[in-house]
Amino acid sequence: MSLSAKYGYTPDKEAIDRQLALIAQNLENIASEELYKACFGIMDQTTLSSDDTPASVKKMVEKVNGIPAAFPGWPLPASVCVYPNLGHVVAETRKDPALHVTTVAGCFPTSQSWIEVKLREIELAVRGGADEIDIVLALNSFLAGDYETAGAEIKASRECIDRVAKELGRPVVLKVILETGLLATPELIADASFLAMENGADFIKTSTGKVKVNATPVAAWVMCECIKKYYEATGVKVGFKAAGGIASALDAVCYWTIGKTILGDSWMNKDLYRFGVSSLANKLLSAVSGTTVTYF
């Protein structure tokens, strides 16, 4: 029995396409200043570039710190997301602890290494100040049909995070990136979603942003339906994160609407719904102001 069958879920591609077409037709009517600001407040403001430096990350965090003064009435993003060796810079520079430190870890973006190496990097990231850890599903196992090994790696990552977090006396969130652009069918996306949730993911995330196809509305719809099915079966609320390719304010509205349609209002907050973005902040600020904003 597939994991999807275990939860009574079969993706209905035709129905999904119809729903997404209706959303696409109504984006302009759905969009509002209030919604743009809500989308801003669930962003993981991200920089994952080869030329990131402590100075460049510090500069970005200082920009985030300045949002309340520069844009009164706007929320802070949910977090700043960086490479694991730079998490301490975010932790040291942020002024408000509500702004979380997110780091990728576990040999991002490919997850191609030994589990021992992945776990050591995760441990160091948490010790370095990460409030949230984003890891990548081990596709080398998953795509070979070895769900047991892929799931065991997620479970080991969860246990590593919990052990170090307990030692440090603070909670740490685990997000599992499915890399949906490399999963050939909605059925595989669904199986990956359930596998990650069963093995301790607090969030399931679409993409690394480092492959040709990243977040898509279809992948988001399937993942949110899986989250709903998992909640109905277990009572556990797992979060969703779309990342990669959310390039416009209306893109954000689209992904927000998918979540609200399937999961309802109780999911639409930074504890359960996120966008991983590098350029969206300026687009949302511009959409509300009516002029081009280049704050970041």
Side-chain angles (χ1 to χ4, degrees):
M1 177 186 292
S2 72
L3 282 173
S4 298
K6 176 180 175 180
Y7 291 93
Y9 177 65
T10 302
D12 185 337
K13 185 64 164 55
E14 290 186 0
I16 292 170
D17 287 342
R18 287 196 299 270
Q19 292 290 332
L20 291 174
L22 289 173
I23 290 173
Q25 292 167 11
N26 285 287
L27 287 178
E28 295 281 0
N29 296 325
I30 298 168
S32 67
E33 178 177 335
E34 180 182 11
L35 182 50
Y36 287 143
K37 289 180 178 179
C39 289
F40 195 94
I42 64 171
M43 296 187 312
D44 290 346
Q45 180 66 24
T46 302
T47 180
L48 295 170
S49 299
S50 296
D51 59 353
D52 287 340
T53 65
S56 67
V57 170
K58 182 178 180 180
K59 182 178 179 181
M60 187 174 77
V61 179
E62 288 173 340
K63 284 279 191 178
V64 174
N65 289 339
I67 286 169
F71 302 97
W74 283 76
L76 288 174
S79 82
V80 172
C81 180
V82 296
Y83 282 114
N85 54 309
L86 294 168
H88 72 95
V89 178
V90 183
E92 293 160 2
T93 308
R94 64 178 172 178
K95 291 183 177 179
D96 187 341
L99 177 70
H100 278 192
V101 180
T102 297
T103 75
V104 295
C107 300
F108 176 95
T110 64
S111 196
Q112 293 282 13
S113 192
W114 296 275
I115 184 61
E116 294 85 356
V117 174
K118 298 177 189 180
L119 296 179
R120 180 59 174 154
E121 187 178 57
I122 290 168
E123 177 181 351
L124 290 171
V126 176
R127 293 192 185 281
D131 301 300
E132 305 181 7
I133 298 288
D134 291 17
I135 67 168
V136 183
L137 172 68
L139 292 179
N140 50 9
S141 298
F142 182 81
L143 292 177
D146 186 358
Y147 288 12
E148 182 177 356
T149 297
E153 288 206 8
I154 296 169
K155 184 177 180 182
S157 300
R158 170 85 271 169
E159 291 171 347
C160 176
I161 288 170
D162 289 347
R163 172 178 56 81
V164 181
K166 182 178 179 181
E167 178 187 332
L168 298 175
R170 56 185 177 82
V172 177
V173 169
L174 171 63
K175 306 193 201 87
V176 178
I177 304 166
L178 309 184
E179 202 68 289
T180 53
L182 299 182
L183 303 180
T185 65
E187 289 76 15
L188 272 180
I189 293 172
D191 275 354
S193 298
F194 289 121
L195 184 71
M197 290 187 286
E198 283 192 341
N199 284 282
D202 295 309
F203 277 75
I204 52 175
K205 174 179 171 182
T206 59
S207 322
T208 61
K210 302 296 186 182
V211 296
K212 185 175 181 180
V213 177
N214 292 288
T216 66
V218 170
W221 191 279
V222 171
M223 291 168 69
C224 286
E225 286 193 321
C226 290
I227 288 169
K228 182 178 181 180
K229 285 289 187 181
Y230 189 74
Y231 174 68
E232 290 171 350
T234 67
V236 176
K237 283 188 170 183
V238 174
F240 169 78
K241 178 176 174 179
I246 307 175
S248 73
L250 287 181
D251 286 341
V253 172
C254 176
Y255 285 103
W256 175 282
T257 305
I258 289 169
K260 183 172 181 178
T261 300
I262 298 170
L263 298 170
D265 288 334
S266 67
W267 252 269
M268 306 314 296
N269 58 76
K270 67 180 181 179
D271 293 329
L272 288 168
Y273 214 82
R274 295 285 183 87
F275 299 143
V277 296
S278 57
S279 62
L280 180 63
N282 285 338
K283 303 295 179 56
L284 293 170
L285 292 166
S286 298
V288 171
S289 72
T291 61
T292 300
V293 176
T294 54
Y295 182 73
F296 287 99

